[in-house]
Amino acid sequence: MATNQDVQNSVAQVDRIFEQVMDPDMWIRFGLKLLIALIIIAGFYILTRVLTGAVSRLFTIRKISEHDYLAQRQNETLLKLLQNAIRYVLGIVMLLTVLSQFGINITGLVASAGIAGLAISFGAKNLVQDIITGAFIIFERQFKVGDFVRVGLIEGVVTELGIRTTKLKGLNGEIHIIPNGQILQVTNFSVDNSFALVDVQVSYEEDLERVERVLHQIADTTTKKYEDMFVEPIQMLGVQTLGPSEVVYRLMAEVPPMQHFQAGRLIRKELKQGLELEGIKIPYPRMVMMNTEQGNGGQADDAKNVQSS
């Protein structure tokens, strides 16, 4: 049960609070602090707009072709990173300055923010790594949208190049989403001209000198037939390997980027037709059945029937 002394203490506290609220000097001091805080906020806002606008105009000066998609993405990404960095830094400085005007100790806040930032950085380590790696990929122009690349064991066409992830479309239409932090090595097939390498097999019984002359003729004919496909004439490099039952020749053609698949198919088609016209056999697996019994015509006929089937 409250005593008279407790009641008197409560009444005294209420009186002190009332006196402070009704004190005109306190309101004048609070108004001045609030006015200074508003001026600080307006000043930092104007400064932020001026700096971000200056950065934007600086990047607008750069002349970039409208067809250079990667350069546009690089320019846009760098612009956003710099503008966000300006906003974050000035925003934090403005907040600390305003709090200090109201007598709040910002030293403890800075220490607490440092500890919280450290904890967040450990939790978001992979996210930060993805963003930094994506920024370097864009800045260094390692690949762009539309390029055919190999990332690890994954091959495909780049459909989207983001600051955090990269999307590849495989040959079967599947979409691979790869975090940029996991891109350790990239093979780009679209930067320079490609090379189509085609191996063709001929039998050991063939005259190799004649085979080489025919292959040169087929290479020249194919180059003239599909002149828009090849950057340089098809070259017959010579014997590549000696297999168990065949001699392997290799042909090479320099073609525009990403055209080596189509060029290889055309060369194989022309080789098949050209070798058949010249009577040069391409070896393939065959099964020959022989009847070693004498005087058994029925079994011999059966063996011939099996062989012909």
Side-chain angles (χ1 to χ4, degrees), residues 73-142:
R73 290 294 303 272
Q74 177 187 7
N75 196 68
E76 180 182 354
T77 302
L78 185 58
L79 174 60
K80 289 182 178 179
L81 287 176
L82 291 178
Q83 289 181 336
N84 289 334
I86 292 173
R87 293 190 183 99
Y88 293 149
V89 172
L90 294 181
I92 293 174
V93 174
M94 178 196 69
L95 179 61
L96 295 178
T97 305
V98 170
L99 291 177
S100 66
Q101 290 297 318
F102 291 93
I104 299 176
N105 185 11
I106 63 175
T107 305
L109 292 176
V110 172
S112 300
I115 297 174
L118 183 62
I120 294 174
S121 65
F122 278 113
K125 180 179 64 175
N126 292 334
L127 177 62
V128 174
Q129 182 180 2
D130 294 340
I131 294 175
I132 293 176
T133 305
F136 277 108
I137 290 175
I138 295 175
F139 297 158
E140 296 177 358
R141 309 183 68 173
Q142 297 178 10

Side-chain angles (χ1 to χ4, degrees), residues 62 75 79 81-82 89 113 126 180-181 225-227 238 245 308:
R62 299 179 61 188
N75 196 68
L79 174 60
L81 287 176
L82 291 178
V89 172
N126 292 334
N180 291 331
K225 185 176 181 180
Y226 305 99
E227 58 182 358
S245 59
S308 61

Side-chain angles (χ1 to χ4, degrees), residues 206-224:
E206 299 293 340
D207 183 0
L208 298 187
E209 295 294 336
R210 178 171 175 267
V211 169
E212 292 183 0
R213 289 195 301 271
V214 172
L215 291 178
H216 279 294
Q217 294 175 0
I218 296 175
D220 295 338
T221 303
T222 305
T223 301
K224 295 177 182 178

Side-chain angles (χ1 to χ4, degrees), residues 144-148 157-159 190 258:
K144 62 181 182 297
V145 174
D147 287 354
F148 187 86
V157 178
V158 180
T159 59
S190 303
M258 290 305 302

Side-chain angles (χ1 to χ4, degrees), residues 19-285:
E19 290 177 358
Q20 291 177 358
V21 171
M22 298 302 296
D23 185 8
D25 294 335
M26 188 274 294
W27 285 107
I28 293 174
R29 291 192 299 271
F30 179 79
L32 290 175
K33 292 180 180 179
L34 183 60
L35 179 62
I36 295 174
L38 292 177
I39 295 174
I40 292 173
I41 293 174
F44 274 99
Y45 176 77
I46 295 173
L47 181 61
T48 302
R49 293 293 300 269
V50 170
L51 292 180
T52 54
V55 171
S56 179
R57 286 192 295 272
L58 179 63
F59 277 82
T60 305
I61 297 175
R62 299 179 61 188
K63 295 181 180 180
I64 299 176
S65 174
E66 60 180 3
H67 302 292
D68 196 344
Y69 182 78
L70 184 58
Q72 294 176 1
R73 290 294 303 272
Q74 177 187 7
N75 196 68
E76 180 182 354
T77 302
L78 185 58
L79 174 60
K80 289 182 178 179
L81 287 176
L82 291 178
Q83 289 181 336
N84 289 334
I86 292 173
R87 293 190 183 99
Y88 293 149
V89 172
L90 294 181
I92 293 174
V93 174
M94 178 196 69
L95 179 61
L96 295 178
T97 305
V98 170
L99 291 177
S100 66
Q101 290 297 318
F102 291 93
I104 299 176
N105 185 11
I106 63 175
T107 305
L109 292 176
V110 172
S112 300
I115 297 174
L118 183 62
I120 294 174
S121 65
F122 278 113
K125 180 179 64 175
N126 292 334
L127 177 62
V128 174
Q129 182 180 2
D130 294 340
I131 294 175
I132 293 176
T133 305
F136 277 108
I137 290 175
I138 295 175
F139 297 158
E140 296 177 358
R141 309 183 68 173
Q142 297 178 10
F143 53 85
K144 62 181 182 297
V145 174
D147 287 354
F148 187 86
V149 300
R150 179 192 298 136
V151 179
L153 300 177
I154 301 176
E155 291 185 355
V157 178
V158 180
T159 59
E160 183 176 337
L161 176 57
I163 194 67
R164 195 182 70 83
T165 61
T166 296
K167 294 182 180 180
L168 303 182
K169 185 175 183 180
L171 297 178
N172 296 323
E174 68 275 15
I175 300 296
H176 304 280
I177 302 175
I178 306 173
N180 291 331
Q182 298 182 9
I183 301 178
L184 303 178
Q185 182 177 0
V186 180
T187 303
N188 193 336
F189 296 93
S190 303
V191 175
D192 204 349
N193 291 335
S194 302
F195 289 90
L197 299 177
V198 177
D199 292 338
V200 59
Q201 303 173 355
V202 298
S203 174
Y204 275 108
E205 287 77 15
E206 299 293 340
D207 183 0
L208 298 187
E209 295 294 336
R210 178 171 175 267
V211 169
E212 292 183 0
R213 289 195 301 271
V214 172
L215 291 178
H216 279 294
Q217 294 175 0
I218 296 175
D220 295 338
T221 303
T222 305
T223 301
K224 295 177 182 178
K225 185 176 181 180
Y226 305 99
E227 58 182 358
D228 295 336
M229 174 66 67
F230 303 102
V231 177
E232 296 290 341
I234 302 174
Q235 302 179 33
M236 207 285 293
L237 302 181
V239 177
Q240 180 67 18
T241 58
L242 299 176
S245 59
E246 73 280 345
V247 179
V248 181
Y249 281 90
R250 170 162 292 185
L251 291 84
M252 182 182 71
E254 184 177 356
V255 296
M258 290 305 302
Q259 295 297 318
H260 54 285
F261 297 114
Q262 179 66 15
R265 287 189 285 267
L266 292 176
I267 294 174
R268 293 184 185 93
K269 174 185 175 182
E270 297 296 328
L271 286 173
K272 176 67 167 57
Q273 296 176 346
L275 293 177
E276 283 185 350
L277 290 177
E278 295 294 333
I280 298 176
K281 297 181 179 180
I282 299 177
Y284 59 91

